[in-house]
Amino acid sequence: MLRAAAILFVTFCTESALAQVLSTSVGNTEITEMAGGLDTPWAVGILPDGSFLVTERDGNLLYVQDGEANAVSGAPKVSASGQGGLLDVTIPRDFNQSREVFLTFSKPQKGGAGTAVAVARLSENGTRLTNLRVIFEASPGGSGGRHFGSRVVEANDGTLFVTIGDRGDGPQAQDLSNVIGSVIRINRDGSVPSDNPFIGQAEIRPEIWSYGHRNPQGTDLDRRGRLWVSEHGARGGDEVNLVKPGANYGWPVISYGTHYSGEKIGEGTSKPGMEQPRLYWDPSIAPSGLMVYSGDMFPEWRGDIFVGSLKFDYIARLSGDPLREVEQIKGPETERVRDIVQAPDGAIWFISVGQGAVYRLARSS
């Protein structure tokens, strides 16, 4: 009953609805609300027919099509505590054939909760998930209720990259006997690809692709198939990293931030054998979703990286080598941007937690 009642407050807007005009580096753009009245939305996944799925952190999965938003039954049971809950949703390239969707969530476990990945089939009418199965979970669980990471992206070869936060226990991110504070790579059935960097090495989890991460909440592939990740620092030191197999990204040994108490973190900002970020922010912007743009609607932005800011309420556009923030896309609609994705037509969709809405950013007609 609670799940169904939540939908009564969801509104849906078509592209013909009144759009707000926002000035950007490519001229005036239009922002249209695609769904509103959402309760702590976390991720959006756009389906091939233009309908879409939205996760709400308390455990609701919503399906929106043709002006209607409906609850999807069969979503996994989540531990909706602190930063945990129902988190990412990813639509694979073969959705039209497989009808599969991937979800990440904080899974109840002994001692707390851990980041988990599930796959299920979406019914033809979008009202239910069937054959739900958990293909990976980070255990043992923690009780802190924070730093789940929890983005999942499909690589060009069909494997899955999943980001897992340090659960608030920084030293775990340097311990390769568990997956805490890492990016993992798994096959779609949860098995381990044979070419992962630590295959066959004793006392190292074979799923690990990279490690030394704090709380990576944004990830995407660029046009070359390379993996980019945005992650929260502590007090300062938010990072954007180009992730390489087997690499150590330093947390909590090196950082450009400080502890919230003001105390120094680790050993400084660099150390041999540890990767440097491609960009860092100080003060922190609280980065969440990340998207590398490759669409046709905004050819001027191809190859640029877009990162949502939860703290300062804008979308950062990053470009150049060295990478730098070149634009802040900001308006009332960008209050606490949680997720950002590219639609098939090249429009940019994003979630505003502050507005409880999904928006579409498009070139003005």
Side-chain angles (χ1 to χ4, degrees):
M1 294 297 293
L2 291 176
R3 190 176 297 248
I7 308 163
L8 298 178
F9 300 98
V10 176
T11 60
F12 179 90
C13 300
T14 65
E15 294 177 30
S16 62
L18 180 64
Q20 301 300 312
V21 176
L22 184 66
S23 178
T24 71
S25 60
V26 296
N28 285 341
T29 57
E30 296 179 348
I31 294 183
T32 304
E33 182 181 297
M34 304 304 292
L38 302 170
D39 182 7
T40 319
W42 213 91
V44 57
I46 304 173
L47 299 168
D49 65 359
S51 60
F52 57 98
L53 297 171
V54 183
T55 62
E56 294 182 318
R57 203 172 64 192
D58 65 1
N60 292 331
L61 178 65
L62 303 177
Y63 173 71
V64 185
Q65 182 183 44
D66 296 334
E68 294 185 2
N70 291 289
V72 181
S73 64
K77 180 181 178 181
V78 306
S79 176
S81 176
Q83 298 170 0
L86 185 58
L87 302 173
D88 206 13
V89 56
T90 294
I91 313 301
R93 290 185 294 273
D94 70 350
F95 175 82
N96 279 337
Q97 292 74 45
S98 70
R99 300 293 299 181
E100 288 187 337
V101 298
F102 292 91
L103 299 166
T104 65
F105 62 104
S106 54
K107 183 178 184 291
Q109 298 171 335
K110 183 178 180 179
T115 303
V117 185
V119 62
R121 288 179 57 87
L122 181 68
S123 64
E124 292 290 339
N125 62 5
T127 62
R128 67 188 185 280
L129 295 178
T130 61
N131 195 27
L132 178 80
R133 57 202 185 277
V134 175
I135 59 172
F136 178 84
E137 60 181 284
S139 60
S143 60
R146 62 187 187 276
H147 298 186
F148 290 93
S150 211
R151 292 290 178 190
V152 57
V153 64
E154 183 185 19
N156 290 341
D157 63 1
T159 59
L160 303 176
F161 289 113
V162 185
T163 68
I164 300 174
D166 72 354
R167 302 308 317 282
D169 185 0
Q172 295 275 12
Q174 293 294 320
D175 181 357
L176 292 173
S177 68
N178 65 59
V179 298
I180 305 304
S182 72
V183 175
I184 65 166
R185 177 173 173 253
I186 56 176
N187 293 315
R188 283 178 61 154
D189 62 0
S191 62
V192 180
S194 60
D195 57 347
N196 270 11
F198 296 111
I199 287 290
Q201 298 191 37
E203 299 183 1
I204 298 179
R205 288 288 296 268
E207 300 93 344
I208 293 175
W209 185 256
S210 63
Y211 64 105
H213 300 281
R214 184 174 182 267
N215 189 21
Q217 285 196 352
T219 185
D220 198 10
L221 303 176
D222 64 17
R223 290 176 292 180
R224 295 164 57 184
R226 300 180 302 174
L227 184 70
W228 292 84
V229 166
S230 60
E231 53 190 286
H232 291 260
R235 186 176 175 184
D238 294 343
E239 297 181 357
V240 173
N241 285 301
L242 176 58
V243 176
K244 299 183 292 186
N248 182 354
Y249 289 83
W251 178 257
V253 181
I254 60 173
S255 175
Y256 283 90
T258 63
H259 290 294
Y260 295 113
S261 65
E263 294 295 317
K264 177 183 175 181
I265 293 174
E267 302 176 19
T269 58
S270 65
K271 186 175 182 177
M274 295 184 176
E275 299 295 320
Q276 286 289 300
R278 292 303 177 100
L279 178 146
Y280 72 90
W281 285 277
D282 189 12
S284 294
I285 70 164
S288 190
L290 177 149
M291 177 268 292
V292 185
Y293 189 77
S294 61
D296 294 331
M297 186 174 290
F298 302 106
E300 306 93 327
W301 287 346
R302 285 192 194 122
D304 290 352
I305 297 173
F306 292 76
V307 179
S309 168
L310 291 163
K311 182 176 181 182
F312 293 125
D313 302 333
Y314 69 91
I315 297 171
R317 182 170 68 87
L318 315 178
S319 190
D321 187 9
L323 194 67
R324 61 190 181 94
E325 184 180 287
V326 296
E327 183 176 8
Q328 294 182 1
I329 299 172
K330 188 177 179 69
E333 298 84 3
T334 61
E335 183 181 358
R336 289 186 58 78
V337 175
R338 172 64 75 182
D339 194 18
I340 182 165
V341 300
Q342 179 181 306
D345 65 356
I348 296 172
W349 289 41
F350 63 92
I351 281 178
S352 165
V353 181
Q355 298 287 353
V358 177
Y359 292 101
R360 177 181 184 266
L361 175 70
R363 193 177 287 275
S364 292
S365 55

